[in-house]
Each structure stands twice: as structure tokens, then as C-alpha cells.
Amino acid sequence: MVQRPLSPAMRRFVDDELLRAPLLFDQLLDGTLDHTRKSLPTMAPLQRATTGELMQAMLSQRRRLGDYFMRSLQEQVDAELQNQPRHGATASTAPRRMSLALVDEEVVAMDVELSHIIEAIKSNAEYELRELQTYISALVGDMDVSVDHNPFRAETYARATWAAAQALPLSRGHQLAFMRSAGPALAQLLRTAYAASSSRLDAMGIEPAAHRTVILPSGTRRGSRSNEVTFSPDLHSIRDTMPGPIDAPLSYEGQGRQPGGSAASTPAFRPAGGSTAAAPGTPREHWTEIARTTSSRVDRQSIELVSRLFDAMLTDERVPEDVRMIISRLHGPAMRLALRDSSLLDRDKHPLWRFINRMVFECEMAPDPSDPERRQLLKTALGTAEQLVAEPEQNNALYRWALDRFESYLHKRLTRRLAAAASQIGALQKLEDKLLSGRTDAHSSFHGMLDVEALDTVPADLMEHSAPISRAETPTDTWLDGLRPGDWVRMFLQGRWVQARLLWPGERGEVFLFGDGASDTTWAVRRGALLAMHAARLAKSLKERSIVGSAAARVQEQMASAAA
């Protein structure tokens, strides 16, 4: 994996921030104690007594809490600096490993509190975080501020605070109360700390990346997000309103040529029906000439529309570079197909566009470029694309075969992962049966410390462990019961967002097994935990986005701008 070298200036910045972190934690603990002390008069007698236990532990274990905080902060920052790829993918160079994490309602309660703290920090320090991001981008040489290179993000401090909470020799309820009291103090402290960091970098002579005007070589800038839309225009309508003359040069040169590269001309060929088309590898200029000289206006418009669609997809910043290379290989075949079959403009139905959308989505679910599964996925997709390029006869049946071949690979990949988790699934089914028969000894570690209202968005049955509670059907239940093996879900687990695939739903709907998209980690999640996450907006289904639809919207916007 290609990584951006850590500059000496960036190393000095990180070391300086870590040296200041113990003082920040001391201030955090003082602020937490002050917040807790002010809350005592509003508490019931029992809650006041348990809160007193928490305050006493915070004072007596102050050094221990600080050590846990600093150890977590150091580990997170080191991991960030060692594993961050050049283009900011959330990847790790560590080998894939198989593990199983059990997630119950107690874990979700802490994740809910973590999410609240993270949102509070981002809300209070929104401007300061954005300003600091521009300075740190300058330190690492990312003049476009394309990703967030700040190793001291809100999530980092929130997880370090949770690590400190776990140092308390008390129940989970006490630890959760500590997190709730620490949240407001941490948000205010970090707002000041982020502003001070920017000031120190400015005093060092660092010029923020966002304040510069940088002229980069053609094709190196990533596309803007301004064209992300929630609708997708009809391709037939766009083609029919597209001007007949094709004079404007496009940013990408067509099949076989990357931005800034070169392409070798190959002879044109004549498809059935008499229209002249270009063979694979033909430069974009040749397609433009063909579009000008063909007798059919519809053919000219179709050629131009397909070219613009591919240009838009190849400049879409959501599409990774290795995926763009495969999409570019399909440019030429798609141009040839456009002269044969108008159904290519059926955006939601045609197998070519469905193949592209599916490939992009699956690569988003496996974001690590060094992951063997992702490399095999791309190898399969590229092999399929090369076969499409080599076919002299372009038709719908060919692309249906390509889509079926890719779907078959994805099905086999899911089957392999299920086979690898077979022993876990067997054990979890037995656990589910015990849970529903009441033969488990699962007890909450909150020990009555917390009232339900303190959990805010968490449902009232969050603390119940021994048996499922009968309830009326809710939208959350409908969402959970609608999940099927193979569906992707975005969840907030253990202080971070993950993309997880449902591998196995328990036969009785109480335990669900999910697999991480970026590793072999698996999570066994109880129904109540999933309901709590979904109610707190910490879990949602991921649907395949239409990259082609977004490209169509960009083309339509460009045409409207040109006509204005």
C-alpha cells in the first residue's frame, strides 16, 4: 500500500500534542467532577449515593485513569500514522484475522454515549476542527484537503475517555455515568485545544492548505461532491435534448487511455447495420470524428452521451482509482454497444450499468486496497471487462453474462465466509435457544446504577438481559426482520463506524451474526442491541448507490449550464 511519508513537521506536531495531553486529561477530570458535583442536588437519594461512589473513585484513581487515557490516545495515534493510506482509505496493513465479538445491550449503551460525545465535540468545535484540518493537510502535503489527516479527531479523544472510564473499579453503570458527565467538559476543552493547535502551527509559519491557490496537472484533482444528487434523470431524455454537433473536447480520452496518458490508434470497424465504430483502444478524438460523420443524429447523440457518462464516472471522487481503471476499460465496448442497442439508455435495467454499480458498491464495502478479498474482487471484474473488450459482437446477452458471472463470484464469496463461520453459527444457535428458554445466567453489570431516562434515545428495555420482551411491532422491528443474509449494514460499534454484512440471523430472531467488510472480524449481536442501535440511529441498511445515475445528473447539469 502506498503511504504518504510522515514529515518531520508532522512528527513534531504529534509529539507536541501528546505532551500536552496529560494536562488536558487533568482538566477533563476536574471538569467532570465539577459537572457531577453540580448534578447532586437534582438526584434521588439512591442515585446520589452511587454518584458519590463514582466521585470518590475518580479522586482515588486519578492517576490510573490518566494512564489508561494516555495509553489509548498513544495507541490510536500510532495506528493512525502507521496505517493511513495515501488517499485516505480507512484501511489497515494488518493481516486479516478471524475473531468473534459479542455485542449486547450494555455494549450498545456505551456506544450510544460515545456517539453523543463525538457529536457534542463536532458540534462545539466544528469551526476549530475544520481550521485545524487545513493546517494538518499542509503538514502532510495534501493541498486539496482531500481527507482528514488529523490523528486527534473527536473519535480518538472519545475512545480514550472510554478507556479511562474502564479503569474505574466500579460497575458498567458507574462507567457510563462518568462518560455522560465527561462529555460536555471534553467538548469545551477540545474546542479550546483545537484552536490553540491551529495557532501554534500558524506561529510556526505553516500556511493552511485551503488558503492556497494551487494549479495541479490536468486530471489530478478529484471531482466535486456538489453533483451528488438524490435523483437520476432519464438517459433517453438527455440524449434527445443533446446537441447534434459534437465539438467540445472531453476530459478523458476514451477506452484504453488514462488521464494524462496516451492511446494508440486502432482501425475502425463496421458493425452490422452499416454504422462505423471504433475498435477497443481507439482515442476519444476518433469517436468524435465518427459522431460528426455518421448519418444518424440519434447515433451521434448516443455516442456523445455515453462518452460524457464515462467521463463523469471517471471523475467521481467516490470511485476509487483502482475501480476507475476497470470502468475505463468498459468505455470502448459501451460506445460500440450504443450504436447497436438503444436499451443501453435504460439506466436502471441495462446489465452494463448494473455491473458498474455493483462493482463500485462491493469495493466500497471492502475499502482496504491491500485486502486479498478486494484484490480478488477486482481481478474478477477486470477479467470480465477484458472479455467484453475482446468481443467483436456487442449485445445485451453479452452483458447479462458478465453481470451473472460477477454475481456468481459474489455468491461464492459469501458462501465461503459462511463456511468459515460454521462453527460460530452452530454455537450461536445453541446460545439463542438457551437465551429464549431462560437457561442462561446473563446479568446486567449496571447494578441499578442508571435510570432509563439518562440513556436519552435508548429504548426503555435497554437494560433487560435475561429474556426478550414482547412488544408491539415497530418500524425498528420491521427493519430488523427485513434483513436477509448478505445485506450490508452500517453500525456504530465500540466507538467506530463499521460496514458489516449479515451472515446469519438466528432461527428464532434473537441473535444475529455480522461480518466486518474490512476484516474477518465477526460480531454476534442480540436483537435488543440491534433495536437499540437502530432507534438511536446507530445502525442502518446500506443500499447500492447508482454511480451511473449520479453521472447522468452531472451530464444534465453540465448541459443546462452550457445552455444558460
Side-chain angles (χ1 to χ4, degrees), residues 43-84:
M43 297 180 182
L46 178 59
Q47 190 178 14
R48 189 180 301 119
T50 52
T51 301
E53 295 174 1
L54 172 61
M55 294 176 65
Q56 183 61 38
M58 289 165 61
L59 290 170
S60 63
Q61 301 291 328
R62 188 183 190 107
R63 182 173 180 178
R64 175 182 168 89
L65 268 62
D67 289 343
Y68 273 62
F69 178 89
M70 286 303 304
R71 186 181 304 120
S72 173
L73 189 65
Q74 181 78 62
E75 290 175 352
Q76 292 184 73
V77 170
D78 287 346
E80 173 80 13
L81 297 179
Q82 292 170 10
N83 295 335
Q84 184 169 341

mmCIF file of all heavy atoms in Angstrom, residues 43-84:
data_model
loop_
_atom_site.group_PDB
_atom_site.id
_atom_site.type_symbol
_atom_site.label_atom_id
_atom_site.label_comp_id
_atom_site.label_asym_id
_atom_site.label_seq_id
_atom_site.Cartn_x
_atom_site.Cartn_y
_atom_site.Cartn_z
ATOM 1 N N MET A 43 -30.600 14.814 42.206
ATOM 2 C CA MET A 43 -30.663 13.357 42.180
ATOM 3 C C MET A 43 -31.491 12.806 43.331
ATOM 4 O O MET A 43 -31.595 13.420 44.404
ATOM 5 C CB MET A 43 -29.251 12.759 42.242
ATOM 6 C CG MET A 43 -28.372 13.100 41.062
ATOM 7 S SD MET A 43 -26.723 12.358 41.232
ATOM 8 C CE MET A 43 -25.922 12.975 39.746
ATOM 9 N N ALA A 44 -32.032 11.618 43.094
ATOM 10 C CA ALA A 44 -32.715 10.877 44.157
ATOM 11 C C ALA A 44 -31.672 10.357 45.146
ATOM 12 O O ALA A 44 -30.488 10.243 44.801
ATOM 13 C CB ALA A 44 -33.509 9.730 43.559
ATOM 14 N N PRO A 45 -32.082 10.013 46.354
ATOM 15 C CA PRO A 45 -31.113 9.566 47.370
ATOM 16 C C PRO A 45 -30.229 8.402 46.927
ATOM 17 O O PRO A 45 -29.008 8.434 47.143
ATOM 18 C CB PRO A 45 -32.001 9.191 48.558
ATOM 19 C CG PRO A 45 -33.210 10.059 48.393
ATOM 20 C CD PRO A 45 -33.425 10.168 46.928
ATOM 21 N N LEU A 46 -30.821 7.389 46.302
ATOM 22 C CA LEU A 46 -30.029 6.237 45.888
ATOM 23 C C LEU A 46 -29.026 6.624 44.810
ATOM 24 O O LEU A 46 -27.854 6.231 44.855
ATOM 25 C CB LEU A 46 -30.946 5.114 45.388
ATOM 26 C CG LEU A 46 -30.243 3.852 44.881
ATOM 27 C CD1 LEU A 46 -29.378 3.230 45.979
ATOM 28 C CD2 LEU A 46 -31.259 2.845 44.351
ATOM 29 N N GLN A 47 -29.489 7.404 43.862
ATOM 30 C CA GLN A 47 -28.587 7.825 42.786
ATOM 31 C C GLN A 47 -27.498 8.744 43.324
ATOM 32 O O GLN A 47 -26.354 8.695 42.871
ATOM 33 C CB GLN A 47 -29.373 8.530 41.685
ATOM 34 C CG GLN A 47 -28.566 8.781 40.420
ATOM 35 C CD GLN A 47 -29.381 9.427 39.321
ATOM 36 O OE1 GLN A 47 -30.470 9.931 39.576
ATOM 37 N NE2 GLN A 47 -28.852 9.413 38.111
ATOM 38 N N ARG A 48 -27.848 9.582 44.351
ATOM 39 C CA ARG A 48 -26.848 10.460 44.938
ATOM 40 C C ARG A 48 -25.753 9.648 45.623
ATOM 41 O O ARG A 48 -24.571 9.977 45.553
ATOM 42 C CB ARG A 48 -27.502 11.415 45.934
ATOM 43 C CG ARG A 48 -26.552 12.517 46.428
ATOM 44 C CD ARG A 48 -27.234 13.455 47.416
ATOM 45 N NE ARG A 48 -28.398 14.091 46.801
ATOM 46 C CZ ARG A 48 -29.652 13.940 47.253
ATOM 47 N NH1 ARG A 48 -29.884 13.155 48.299
ATOM 48 N NH2 ARG A 48 -30.641 14.548 46.661
ATOM 49 N N ALA A 49 -26.146 8.541 46.266
ATOM 50 C CA ALA A 49 -25.170 7.698 46.953
ATOM 51 C C ALA A 49 -24.220 7.034 45.968
ATOM 52 O O ALA A 49 -22.999 7.002 46.168
ATOM 53 C CB ALA A 49 -25.893 6.649 47.793
ATOM 54 N N THR A 50 -24.778 6.503 44.879
ATOM 55 C CA THR A 50 -23.925 5.836 43.896
ATOM 56 C C THR A 50 -23.047 6.838 43.151
ATOM 57 O O THR A 50 -21.911 6.531 42.782
ATOM 58 C CB THR A 50 -24.790 5.054 42.890
ATOM 59 O OG1 THR A 50 -25.802 5.921 42.354
ATOM 60 C CG2 THR A 50 -25.469 3.874 43.570
ATOM 61 N N THR A 51 -23.572 8.062 42.947
ATOM 62 C CA THR A 51 -22.751 9.094 42.319
ATOM 63 C C THR A 51 -21.604 9.495 43.238
ATOM 64 O O THR A 51 -20.492 9.793 42.783
ATOM 65 C CB THR A 51 -23.605 10.325 41.966
ATOM 66 O OG1 THR A 51 -24.657 9.928 41.083
ATOM 67 C CG2 THR A 51 -22.765 11.398 41.289
ATOM 68 N N GLY A 52 -21.858 9.498 44.538
ATOM 69 C CA GLY A 52 -20.778 9.760 45.479
ATOM 70 C C GLY A 52 -19.681 8.717 45.386
ATOM 71 O O GLY A 52 -18.485 9.039 45.473
ATOM 72 N N GLU A 53 -20.068 7.452 45.184
ATOM 73 C CA GLU A 53 -19.083 6.392 44.987
ATOM 74 C C GLU A 53 -18.240 6.671 43.741
ATOM 75 O O GLU A 53 -17.016 6.469 43.740
ATOM 76 C CB GLU A 53 -19.779 5.044 44.838
ATOM 77 C CG GLU A 53 -20.528 4.574 46.077
ATOM 78 C CD GLU A 53 -21.305 3.304 45.812
ATOM 79 O OE1 GLU A 53 -21.223 2.796 44.651
ATOM 80 O OE2 GLU A 53 -21.991 2.819 46.719
ATOM 81 N N LEU A 54 -18.907 7.139 42.684
ATOM 82 C CA LEU A 54 -18.197 7.448 41.446
ATOM 83 C C LEU A 54 -17.186 8.573 41.668
ATOM 84 O O LEU A 54 -16.028 8.484 41.242
ATOM 85 C CB LEU A 54 -19.200 7.835 40.358
ATOM 86 C CG LEU A 54 -18.618 8.377 39.049
ATOM 87 C CD1 LEU A 54 -17.731 7.326 38.385
ATOM 88 C CD2 LEU A 54 -19.726 8.816 38.100
ATOM 89 N N MET A 55 -17.594 9.626 42.359
ATOM 90 C CA MET A 55 -16.697 10.759 42.584
ATOM 91 C C MET A 55 -15.497 10.351 43.440
ATOM 92 O O MET A 55 -14.363 10.759 43.164
ATOM 93 C CB MET A 55 -17.461 11.899 43.256
ATOM 94 C CG MET A 55 -18.543 12.514 42.379
ATOM 95 S SD MET A 55 -19.520 13.773 43.239
ATOM 96 C CE MET A 55 -18.271 15.022 43.519
ATOM 97 N N GLN A 56 -15.746 9.513 44.450
ATOM 98 C CA GLN A 56 -14.660 9.052 45.285
ATOM 99 C C GLN A 56 -13.666 8.233 44.478
ATOM 100 O O GLN A 56 -12.440 8.368 44.637
ATOM 101 C CB GLN A 56 -15.220 8.223 46.453
ATOM 102 C CG GLN A 56 -14.168 7.752 47.444
ATOM 103 C CD GLN A 56 -13.438 8.894 48.117
ATOM 104 O OE1 GLN A 56 -14.055 9.919 48.442
ATOM 105 N NE2 GLN A 56 -12.140 8.757 48.319
ATOM 106 N N ALA A 57 -14.169 7.385 43.592
ATOM 107 C CA ALA A 57 -13.292 6.561 42.753
ATOM 108 C C ALA A 57 -12.499 7.429 41.787
ATOM 109 O O ALA A 57 -11.322 7.167 41.505
ATOM 110 C CB ALA A 57 -14.119 5.526 41.992
ATOM 111 N N MET A 58 -13.117 8.461 41.253
ATOM 112 C CA MET A 58 -12.419 9.353 40.328
ATOM 113 C C MET A 58 -11.247 10.047 41.028
ATOM 114 O O MET A 58 -10.171 10.216 40.443
ATOM 115 C CB MET A 58 -13.394 10.394 39.765
ATOM 116 C CG MET A 58 -14.411 9.810 38.793
ATOM 117 S SD MET A 58 -15.804 10.931 38.467
ATOM 118 C CE MET A 58 -14.973 12.332 37.756
ATOM 119 N N LEU A 59 -11.433 10.424 42.275
ATOM 120 C CA LEU A 59 -10.371 11.096 43.023
ATOM 121 C C LEU A 59 -9.257 10.130 43.412
ATOM 122 O O LEU A 59 -8.070 10.436 43.272
ATOM 123 C CB LEU A 59 -10.956 11.756 44.268
ATOM 124 C CG LEU A 59 -11.850 12.982 44.018
ATOM 125 C CD1 LEU A 59 -12.568 13.386 45.301
ATOM 126 C CD2 LEU A 59 -11.034 14.144 43.461
ATOM 127 N N SER A 60 -9.637 8.941 43.896
ATOM 128 C CA SER A 60 -8.632 7.984 44.363
ATOM 129 C C SER A 60 -7.895 7.301 43.214
ATOM 130 O O SER A 60 -6.755 6.853 43.373
ATOM 131 C CB SER A 60 -9.297 6.927 45.259
ATOM 132 O OG SER A 60 -10.256 6.176 44.520
ATOM 133 N N GLN A 61 -8.544 7.217 42.040
ATOM 134 C CA GLN A 61 -7.948 6.526 40.896
ATOM 135 C C GLN A 61 -7.515 7.503 39.804
ATOM 136 O O GLN A 61 -7.383 7.122 38.650
ATOM 137 C CB GLN A 61 -8.966 5.526 40.311
ATOM 138 C CG GLN A 61 -9.457 4.474 41.272
ATOM 139 C CD GLN A 61 -8.375 3.488 41.631
ATOM 140 O OE1 GLN A 61 -7.491 3.186 40.819
ATOM 141 N NE2 GLN A 61 -8.421 2.975 42.856
ATOM 142 N N ARG A 62 -7.263 8.735 40.190
ATOM 143 C CA ARG A 62 -6.961 9.776 39.197
ATOM 144 C C ARG A 62 -5.777 9.386 38.316
ATOM 145 O O ARG A 62 -5.835 9.503 37.081
ATOM 146 C CB ARG A 62 -6.674 11.090 39.918
ATOM 147 C CG ARG A 62 -6.531 12.281 38.981
ATOM 148 C CD ARG A 62 -6.176 13.553 39.746
ATOM 149 N NE ARG A 62 -6.286 14.700 38.870
ATOM 150 C CZ ARG A 62 -7.256 15.602 38.928
ATOM 151 N NH1 ARG A 62 -8.213 15.476 39.830
ATOM 152 N NH2 ARG A 62 -7.287 16.631 38.090
ATOM 153 N N ARG A 63 -4.707 8.921 38.920
ATOM 154 C CA ARG A 63 -3.519 8.576 38.144
ATOM 155 C C ARG A 63 -3.787 7.390 37.226
ATOM 156 O O ARG A 63 -3.348 7.378 36.069
ATOM 157 C CB ARG A 63 -2.360 8.265 39.085
ATOM 158 C CG ARG A 63 -1.066 7.935 38.370
ATOM 159 C CD ARG A 63 0.084 7.803 39.341
ATOM 160 N NE ARG A 63 1.323 7.480 38.663
ATOM 161 C CZ ARG A 63 2.501 7.346 39.280
ATOM 162 N NH1 ARG A 63 2.579 7.523 40.594
ATOM 163 N NH2 ARG A 63 3.581 7.056 38.589
ATOM 164 N N ARG A 64 -4.509 6.411 37.728
ATOM 165 C CA ARG A 64 -4.834 5.227 36.929
ATOM 166 C C ARG A 64 -5.683 5.611 35.715
ATOM 167 O O ARG A 64 -5.434 5.150 34.606
ATOM 168 C CB ARG A 64 -5.570 4.220 37.811
ATOM 169 C CG ARG A 64 -6.097 2.977 37.094
ATOM 170 C CD ARG A 64 -6.833 2.103 38.097
ATOM 171 N NE ARG A 64 -7.605 1.056 37.460
ATOM 172 C CZ ARG A 64 -7.140 -0.154 37.164
ATOM 173 N NH1 ARG A 64 -5.876 -0.444 37.463
ATOM 174 N NH2 ARG A 64 -7.912 -1.060 36.596
ATOM 175 N N LEU A 65 -6.658 6.465 35.922
ATOM 176 C CA LEU A 65 -7.499 6.913 34.805
ATOM 177 C C LEU A 65 -6.666 7.642 33.762
ATOM 178 O O LEU A 65 -6.853 7.451 32.544
ATOM 179 C CB LEU A 65 -8.612 7.824 35.321
ATOM 180 C CG LEU A 65 -9.955 7.161 35.680
ATOM 181 C CD1 LEU A 65 -9.772 6.149 36.811
ATOM 182 C CD2 LEU A 65 -10.988 8.213 36.075
ATOM 183 N N GLY A 66 -5.734 8.491 34.227
ATOM 184 C CA GLY A 66 -4.879 9.210 33.290
ATOM 185 C C GLY A 66 -3.997 8.286 32.476
ATOM 186 O O GLY A 66 -3.779 8.507 31.275
ATOM 187 N N ASP A 67 -3.488 7.233 33.127
ATOM 188 C CA ASP A 67 -2.649 6.271 32.408
ATOM 189 C C ASP A 67 -3.440 5.564 31.314
ATOM 190 O O ASP A 67 -2.935 5.384 30.193
ATOM 191 C CB ASP A 67 -2.075 5.246 33.385
ATOM 192 C CG ASP A 67 -1.015 5.844 34.305
ATOM 193 O OD1 ASP A 67 -0.514 6.932 33.985
ATOM 194 O OD2 ASP A 67 -0.701 5.225 35.346
ATOM 195 N N TYR A 68 -4.657 5.156 31.628
ATOM 196 C CA TYR A 68 -5.490 4.488 30.626
ATOM 197 C C TYR A 68 -5.809 5.431 29.474
ATOM 198 O O TYR A 68 -5.814 5.027 28.303
ATOM 199 C CB TYR A 68 -6.788 3.986 31.278
ATOM 200 C CG TYR A 68 -6.688 2.616 31.894
ATOM 201 C CD1 TYR A 68 -5.803 2.358 32.956
ATOM 202 C CD2 TYR A 68 -7.471 1.565 31.433
ATOM 203 C CE1 TYR A 68 -5.715 1.104 33.529
ATOM 204 C CE2 TYR A 68 -7.387 0.301 32.001
ATOM 205 C CZ TYR A 68 -6.505 0.074 33.043
ATOM 206 O OH TYR A 68 -6.416 -1.173 33.607
ATOM 207 N N PHE A 69 -6.099 6.683 29.798
ATOM 208 C CA PHE A 69 -6.409 7.675 28.764
ATOM 209 C C PHE A 69 -5.216 7.859 27.834
ATOM 210 O O PHE A 69 -5.361 7.818 26.591
ATOM 211 C CB PHE A 69 -6.777 9.000 29.439
ATOM 212 C CG PHE A 69 -7.082 10.120 28.486
ATOM 213 C CD1 PHE A 69 -8.370 10.314 28.021
ATOM 214 C CD2 PHE A 69 -6.085 10.999 28.062
ATOM 215 C CE1 PHE A 69 -8.659 11.368 27.137
ATOM 216 C CE2 PHE A 69 -6.362 12.031 27.187
ATOM 217 C CZ PHE A 69 -7.652 12.216 26.733
ATOM 218 N N MET A 70 -4.038 8.055 28.406
ATOM 219 C CA MET A 70 -2.854 8.310 27.597
ATOM 220 C C MET A 70 -2.460 7.085 26.771
ATOM 221 O O MET A 70 -2.030 7.212 25.625
ATOM 222 C CB MET A 70 -1.690 8.737 28.482
ATOM 223 C CG MET A 70 -1.810 10.161 29.007
ATOM 224 S SD MET A 70 -1.974 11.381 27.676
ATOM 225 C CE MET A 70 -0.513 11.044 26.700
ATOM 226 N N ARG A 71 -2.582 5.895 27.349
ATOM 227 C CA ARG A 71 -2.234 4.689 26.602
ATOM 228 C C ARG A 71 -3.138 4.525 25.387
ATOM 229 O O ARG A 71 -2.681 4.222 24.280
ATOM 230 C CB ARG A 71 -2.335 3.466 27.499
ATOM 231 C CG ARG A 71 -1.846 2.180 26.810
ATOM 232 C CD ARG A 71 -1.983 0.963 27.708
ATOM 233 N NE ARG A 71 -1.291 1.159 28.974
ATOM 234 C CZ ARG A 71 -1.884 1.131 30.161
ATOM 235 N NH1 ARG A 71 -3.188 0.946 30.253
ATOM 236 N NH2 ARG A 71 -1.172 1.300 31.262
ATOM 237 N N SER A 72 -4.426 4.745 25.568
ATOM 238 C CA SER A 72 -5.363 4.631 24.446
ATOM 239 C C SER A 72 -5.083 5.688 23.395
ATOM 240 O O SER A 72 -5.072 5.406 22.186
ATOM 241 C CB SER A 72 -6.800 4.767 24.956
ATOM 242 O OG SER A 72 -7.712 4.815 23.879
ATOM 243 N N LEU A 73 -4.830 6.928 23.839
ATOM 244 C CA LEU A 73 -4.554 8.009 22.886
ATOM 245 C C LEU A 73 -3.294 7.710 22.084
ATOM 246 O O LEU A 73 -3.273 7.869 20.849
ATOM 247 C CB LEU A 73 -4.407 9.322 23.648
ATOM 248 C CG LEU A 73 -4.335 10.598 22.809
ATOM 249 C CD1 LEU A 73 -5.650 10.832 22.073
ATOM 250 C CD2 LEU A 73 -4.004 11.802 23.688
ATOM 251 N N GLN A 74 -2.239 7.258 22.772
ATOM 252 C CA GLN A 74 -0.982 6.951 22.085
ATOM 253 C C GLN A 74 -1.176 5.829 21.075
ATOM 254 O O GLN A 74 -0.692 5.913 19.932
ATOM 255 C CB GLN A 74 0.073 6.546 23.109
ATOM 256 C CG GLN A 74 1.441 6.227 22.520
ATOM 257 C CD GLN A 74 2.227 7.467 22.157
ATOM 258 O OE1 GLN A 74 2.543 8.280 23.015
ATOM 259 N NE2 GLN A 74 2.544 7.619 20.874
ATOM 260 N N GLU A 75 -1.880 4.773 21.460
ATOM 261 C CA GLU A 75 -2.087 3.637 20.555
ATOM 262 C C GLU A 75 -2.891 4.040 19.329
ATOM 263 O O GLU A 75 -2.588 3.631 18.201
ATOM 264 C CB GLU A 75 -2.782 2.500 21.302
ATOM 265 C CG GLU A 75 -1.906 1.826 22.352
ATOM 266 C CD GLU A 75 -2.670 0.791 23.153
ATOM 267 O OE1 GLU A 75 -3.919 0.713 22.983
ATOM 268 O OE2 GLU A 75 -2.045 0.066 23.946
ATOM 269 N N GLN A 76 -3.927 4.847 19.525
ATOM 270 C CA GLN A 76 -4.754 5.270 18.392
ATOM 271 C C GLN A 76 -3.974 6.159 17.430
ATOM 272 O O GLN A 76 -4.077 6.004 16.205
ATOM 273 C CB GLN A 76 -5.989 6.007 18.901
ATOM 274 C CG GLN A 76 -6.986 5.137 19.645
ATOM 275 C CD GLN A 76 -8.219 5.937 20.018
ATOM 276 O OE1 GLN A 76 -9.043 6.261 19.166
ATOM 277 N NE2 GLN A 76 -8.339 6.288 21.295
ATOM 278 N N VAL A 77 -3.205 7.087 17.974
ATOM 279 C CA VAL A 77 -2.434 7.997 17.119
ATOM 280 C C VAL A 77 -1.362 7.217 16.356
ATOM 281 O O VAL A 77 -1.160 7.433 15.153
ATOM 282 C CB VAL A 77 -1.807 9.123 17.965
ATOM 283 C CG1 VAL A 77 -0.812 9.930 17.132
ATOM 284 C CG2 VAL A 77 -2.897 10.035 18.509
ATOM 285 N N ASP A 78 -0.672 6.298 17.045
ATOM 286 C CA ASP A 78 0.350 5.495 16.371
ATOM 287 C C ASP A 78 -0.265 4.681 15.238
ATOM 288 O O ASP A 78 0.303 4.590 14.135
ATOM 289 C CB ASP A 78 1.029 4.562 17.371
ATOM 290 C CG ASP A 78 1.970 5.306 18.312
ATOM 291 O OD1 ASP A 78 2.284 6.472 18.015
ATOM 292 O OD2 ASP A 78 2.373 4.726 19.335
ATOM 293 N N ALA A 79 -1.425 4.074 15.503
ATOM 294 C CA ALA A 79 -2.084 3.275 14.463
ATOM 295 C C ALA A 79 -2.497 4.139 13.283
ATOM 296 O O ALA A 79 -2.366 3.737 12.119
ATOM 297 C CB ALA A 79 -3.307 2.572 15.054
ATOM 298 N N GLU A 80 -2.964 5.350 13.577
ATOM 299 C CA GLU A 80 -3.372 6.271 12.510
ATOM 300 C C GLU A 80 -2.184 6.650 11.634
ATOM 301 O O GLU A 80 -2.268 6.644 10.395
ATOM 302 C CB GLU A 80 -3.991 7.525 13.127
ATOM 303 C CG GLU A 80 -4.309 8.632 12.138
ATOM 304 C CD GLU A 80 -5.603 8.399 11.396
ATOM 305 O OE1 GLU A 80 -6.365 7.515 11.809
ATOM 306 O OE2 GLU A 80 -5.825 9.089 10.390
ATOM 307 N N LEU A 81 -1.058 6.965 12.246
ATOM 308 C CA LEU A 81 0.112 7.403 11.492
ATOM 309 C C LEU A 81 0.755 6.261 10.719
ATOM 310 O O LEU A 81 1.318 6.470 9.645
ATOM 311 C CB LEU A 81 1.144 8.026 12.437
ATOM 312 C CG LEU A 81 0.695 9.300 13.174
ATOM 313 C CD1 LEU A 81 1.799 9.790 14.097
ATOM 314 C CD2 LEU A 81 0.288 10.390 12.192
ATOM 315 N N GLN A 82 0.671 5.053 11.226
ATOM 316 C CA GLN A 82 1.305 3.913 10.562
ATOM 317 C C GLN A 82 0.469 3.346 9.432
ATOM 318 O O GLN A 82 1.001 2.861 8.440
ATOM 319 C CB GLN A 82 1.574 2.802 11.585
ATOM 320 C CG GLN A 82 2.628 3.157 12.612
ATOM 321 C CD GLN A 82 2.689 2.154 13.745
ATOM 322 O OE1 GLN A 82 2.077 1.093 13.685
ATOM 323 N NE2 GLN A 82 3.435 2.488 14.794
ATOM 324 N N ASN A 83 -0.852 3.423 9.547
ATOM 325 C CA ASN A 83 -1.712 2.683 8.620
ATOM 326 C C ASN A 83 -2.477 3.543 7.652
ATOM 327 O O ASN A 83 -3.184 3.011 6.800
ATOM 328 C CB ASN A 83 -2.731 1.838 9.401
ATOM 329 C CG ASN A 83 -2.058 0.760 10.216
ATOM 330 O OD1 ASN A 83 -0.954 0.329 9.886
ATOM 331 N ND2 ASN A 83 -2.698 0.335 11.275
ATOM 332 N N GLN A 84 -2.390 4.869 7.749
ATOM 333 C CA GLN A 84 -3.190 5.691 6.850
ATOM 334 C C GLN A 84 -2.641 5.657 5.444
ATOM 335 O O GLN A 84 -1.510 6.048 5.197
ATOM 336 C CB GLN A 84 -3.248 7.135 7.340
ATOM 337 C CG GLN A 84 -4.155 7.992 6.466
ATOM 338 C CD GLN A 84 -4.426 9.347 7.093
ATOM 339 O OE1 GLN A 84 -4.245 9.541 8.272
ATOM 340 N NE2 GLN A 84 -4.860 10.277 6.280
#
